[in-house]
Amino acid sequence: MLEPINGRTMFYGKSDVLTYRTYAKPLAVTPVPESSFTGCDNIIFAHNITFAVTGEAFLPSFSEGDNSMVVATDSMKNFILRNTADYTGSTTEGLLQLLSSRFLDKYDHVTAVSVSADRLPFEQVMVPGGEGLKQSHLVLRHSNNESYSASLTIKRGENGTEVIAHECRLKDLQLIKVSGSSFYGFVRDEYTTLPESFDRPLYIFLNINWTYSGVEHALDGDLGQYVAAEQVRDIAHSAFHELNSPSIQSLIYQIGLRVLSRFPQLATVSFESNNRTWETIVEPEETKGGVFTEPRPPYGFQGFSVSRADLAGETA
């Protein structure tokens, strides 16, 4: 997010810049016990990029209609597309840093850039190989599952450009646990109609965000400390499977602790969750399952962040 200039909000930019870069540098990550993900070939390194700039020099374009300092957003789009070809790294964050720092170098009246990207997921299909199935290096399919995004804010400093804010995000993770979750003991008064539940199918929509203690580990996958969204996703899977959670609040707190414990290079983990638990039509019995249907709106939601202080408190 770009900071106001002299107390005034002032920025402009381009969104929905779709970049499909082929054969970027493969990403390798340190394995963790909860995940089989160890990297990806980056055969298609695709993003939907949003790029915004600010600077005092743009004030006349708003107040006087003077466009002499305006870099057209169509030019921004072309800049992003052409410079994407020069990226030699393996991470989304590294690409965003390259684009931002080059833009600041090119246009010295721009003081800061805010850039974000949604990774467009493509998965290699499986094809027959010499010893069973193997991943195709030619054919990939677009995935409609959860996706990954990152954002950076970069400004011009005394010693060159510097990253002043960053965030990584796993988006639209949808998980259902058919048994082993409960919700009881909440406030009951004249407004309460929800029955207590001691074993419910819990369906959640989840976004998970994280930041690094040192952003360089997000920018450069070769440092060996990059945290892949697939690994965070799989830790959430594992925690949901193992825990008998009394609430979504408790579940996301425990997922946060596990992520921070597994990755010491991370500073914070935060969550935006949404309760989409099915409505029960026929109660499950011991010898047969139940029948459920989609819930009706409105939906409950939660937001929470977990820090290293929380982890230290749990392990003290």
Side-chain angles (χ1 to χ4, degrees), residues 154-191:
I154 296 183
K155 73 173 185 178
R156 194 186 309 281
E158 294 182 356
N159 300 315
T161 59
E162 59 180 330
V163 178
I164 60 172
H166 76 281
E167 187 173 70
C168 311
R169 168 176 284 199
L170 173 66
K171 300 195 307 179
D172 302 326
L173 183 62
Q174 299 184 18
L175 298 175
I176 171 71
K177 186 174 184 180
V178 295
S179 180
S181 301
S182 59
F183 187 56
Y184 59 89
F186 48 85
V187 172
R188 302 200 68 84
D189 56 22
E190 65 271 30
Y191 299 108

Side-chain angles (χ1 to χ4, degrees), residues 43-202:
I43 295 174
I44 298 180
F45 188 64
H47 297 89
N48 183 340
I49 295 176
T50 297
F51 197 90
V53 302
T54 190
E56 188 66 32
F58 297 118
L59 180 57
S61 70
F62 290 91
S63 62
E64 303 171 21
D66 179 355
N67 295 328
S68 59
M69 301 302 286
V70 172
V71 180
T73 62
D74 187 68
S75 302
M76 287 183 187
K77 175 204 67 180
N78 295 334
F79 183 94
I80 291 168
L81 290 169
R82 294 176 185 176
N83 281 275
T84 294
D86 294 338
Y87 182 54
T88 58
S90 59
T91 72
T92 296
E93 295 85 346
L95 171 65
L96 299 185
Q97 183 200 31
L98 173 80
L99 298 174
S100 302
S101 59
R102 282 193 173 184
F103 199 88
L104 288 169
D105 290 342
K106 174 71 174 176
Y107 304 103
D108 59 10
H109 59 290
V110 178
T111 58
V113 171
S114 175
V115 59
S116 62
D118 294 332
R119 179 77 185 253
L120 304 176
F122 287 86
E123 298 175 348
Q124 293 169 256
V125 303
M126 301 301 291
V127 296
E131 299 179 356
L133 296 176
K134 66 175 184 179
Q135 288 185 322
S136 170
H137 292 280
L138 296 174
V139 180
L140 299 90
R141 65 183 178 92
H142 190 278
S143 170
N144 293 317
N145 294 324
E146 66 278 352
S147 62
Y148 173 67
S149 68
S151 62
L152 299 179
T153 302
I154 296 183
K155 73 173 185 178
R156 194 186 309 281
E158 294 182 356
N159 300 315
T161 59
E162 59 180 330
V163 178
I164 60 172
H166 76 281
E167 187 173 70
C168 311
R169 168 176 284 199
L170 173 66
K171 300 195 307 179
D172 302 326
L173 183 62
Q174 299 184 18
L175 298 175
I176 171 71
K177 186 174 184 180
V178 295
S179 180
S181 301
S182 59
F183 187 56
Y184 59 89
F186 48 85
V187 172
R188 302 200 68 84
D189 56 22
E190 65 271 30
Y191 299 108
T192 307
T193 57
L194 182 71
E196 293 185 322
S197 175
F198 299 90
D199 187 11
R200 62 173 177 170
L202 179 59

